[in-house]
Amino acid sequence: GQQVMQIPQYQHVQEGEDFTTYCNSSTTLSNIQWYKQRPGGHPVFLIQLVKSGEVKKQKRLTFQFGEAKKNSSLHITATQTTDVGTYFCAGGGNSGYALNFGKGTSLLVTP
Amino acid sequence: DAGVIQSPRHEVTEMGQEVTLRCKPISGHNSLFWYRQTMMRGLELLIYFNNNVPIDDSGMPEDRFSAKMPNASFSTLKIQPSEPRDSAVYFCASSRGGVETQYFGPGTRLLVL
């Protein structure tokens, strides 16, 4: 079945450094969503990408959806301590079935 | 909008006891999901309901786990009997459809001693 792989599992950066997490699917996705979970919190929706090659920005966050709609990335420019948390990608299959979440990338930012 | 409501927020119980987790989805959402999160296994989908009907329960660990959705505004996840390895955070989420944006509840932190 459809699987969504996410790397890296963990990332530790100094404040001000950039950060990128990658998401790959074994099958073509109808859409991809990104969620952020703060420590002790619950996953919160960040953004959805639907179109091939789509790029969206939210302040210092840049989200990309691959041309083949099988991969995606989240890039954070100049990380801040408020960026700490786990970032999940979640892919929607073309059958319209439920989202398939990746394992997440845990980001630690030290001042 | 109140968001997804889960209760209890914390549960400590002894091995062998029955545990019932409750969820109230966002009004108007027709899809409901139960997830389990642990450090080792990450976020796992346990079961997915659409219009109160279980669509896929392949993620339910074993017969000790059961879930119901008697109406559009309420769902339960029951563990009977509970075991220490069931200790985890259990999230309920709802959405307008299977691949639409999911809104997560605050979670129930379960500890089985």
Side-chain angles (χ1 to χ4, degrees):
Chain A
Q2 175 192 321
Q3 290 211 350
V4 174
M5 307 300 292
Q6 199 172 347
I7 57 170
Q9 187 176 2
Y10 301 100
Q11 186 79 56
H12 181 188
V13 300
Q14 294 287 321
E15 190 172 24
E17 293 181 338
D18 291 356
F19 160 77
T20 305
T21 173
Y22 301 91
C23 187
N24 292 287
S25 170
S26 56
T27 60
T28 302
L29 301 170
S30 60
N31 66 355
I32 194 143
Q33 299 177 16
W34 286 91
Y35 293 76
K36 177 182 179 181
Q37 182 179 20
R38 294 183 185 276
H42 59 276
V44 174
F45 173 77
L46 292 177
I47 207 160
Q48 174 173 275
L49 304 171
V50 179
K51 299 177 182 177
S52 170
E54 190 170 12
V55 178
K56 287 188 176 181
K57 292 190 176 185
Q58 287 181 350
K59 298 182 179 178
R60 295 177 295 103
L61 277 61
T62 301
F63 304 83
Q64 292 187 321
F65 201 9
E67 293 291 341
K69 300 182 73 172
K70 287 187 175 182
N71 57 72
S72 181
S73 65
L74 158 59
H75 179 81
I76 302 178
T77 303
T79 55
Q80 300 176 358
T81 54
T82 53
D83 296 325
V84 166
T86 300
Y87 293 84
F88 293 95
C89 63
N94 285 313
S95 63
Y97 188 56
L99 291 173
N100 198 344
F101 278 78
K103 295 294 185 187
T105 296
S106 293
L107 173 64
L108 178 62
V109 181
T110 51
Chain B
D1 197 339
V4 176
I5 299 172
Q6 289 187 250
S7 64
R9 295 290 304 276
H10 302 271
E11 178 81 24
V12 180
T13 190
E14 292 186 345
M15 185 174 69
Q17 296 298 307
E18 177 180 295
V19 176
T20 299
L21 311 181
R22 297 173 175 80
C23 176
K24 176 178 170 57
I26 292 173
S27 177
H29 285 188
N30 60 6
S31 294
L32 184 139
F33 310 83
W34 282 101
Y35 292 91
R36 178 174 67 177
Q37 186 175 42
T38 61
M39 289 293 292
M40 291 296 296
R41 302 172 72 94
L43 192 64
E44 302 174 275
L45 176 64
L46 300 178
I47 189 167
Y48 158 45
F49 290 90
N50 191 52
N51 292 324
N52 312 337
V53 176
I55 301 301
D56 183 10
D57 64 355
S58 61
M60 295 286 264
E62 49 199 90
D63 292 345
R64 297 185 298 106
F65 284 68
S66 63
K68 294 182 179 180
M69 191 164 186
N71 57 64
S73 59
F74 183 66
S75 177
T76 60
L77 178 66
K78 186 175 293 186
I79 309 172
Q80 167 63 22
S82 58
E83 296 182 2
R85 61 190 169 125
D86 301 330
S87 298
V89 181
Y90 291 82
F91 288 107
C92 174
S94 70
S95 73
R96 295 187 185 280
V99 296
E100 299 298 320
T101 301
Q102 293 189 16
Y103 296 85
F104 284 75
T108 295
R109 283 154 178 78
L110 173 65
L111 177 60
V112 182
L113 302 174

